[in-house]
Amino acid sequence: FEQPPEVHEVLRHLTAMTHRTAYLGRFVSGRILITDLVEGPESPYLEDLEVGLNVAAHATVIGKVLLASLPRPRSASCRRAPR
């Protein structure tokens, strides 16, 4: 997934400071795609949480946060996005 190299460094810094997993996701066709992550030693291991994970937005915490940040018309269209 193309992104500036600084993104991974920010995630590494967050993980170093919090000891928790930090990850980045974005909307792609109304779904959430995990594009980068750094696992933290104090976070539970989640087998399915990996780069490339592509799930319905409402099915993940990051998806719910991103949906809540969208204007209503856009969030409604994401909730109705085809599978």
Side-chain angles (χ1 to χ4, degrees), residues 25-34 53-60 62-63 66-67 74 77-79 81-83:
R26 62 179 160 195
F27 280 115
V28 176
S29 300
R31 297 174 63 82
I32 297 298
L33 176 66
I34 302 300
L53 178 67
N54 184 341
V55 295
H58 70 277
T60 63
I62 190 171
L66 291 174
L67 283 171
R74 174 85 194 279
S77 70
C78 286
R79 286 192 297 269
R83 297 174 188 217

Side-chain angles (χ1 to χ4, degrees), residues 4-78:
E6 299 84 12
V7 170
H8 190 76
E9 290 306 312
V10 168
L11 295 177
R12 281 179 14 121
H13 178 72
L14 286 170
T15 297
M17 298 303 294
T18 65
H19 305 282
R20 304 286 182 195
T21 297
Y23 57 97
L24 178 69
R26 62 179 160 195
F27 280 115
V28 176
S29 300
R31 297 174 63 82
I32 297 298
L33 176 66
I34 302 300
T35 58
D36 200 357
L37 74 89
V38 176
E39 291 191 39
E42 293 183 19
S43 287
Y45 174 74
L46 300 174
E47 185 175 331
D48 294 335
L49 184 61
E50 61 187 13
V51 172
L53 178 67
N54 184 341
V55 295
H58 70 277
T60 63
V61 171
I62 190 171
K64 290 174 181 160
V65 169
L66 291 174
L67 283 171
S69 72
L70 292 175
R72 279 198 187 275
R74 174 85 194 279
S75 67
S77 70
C78 286

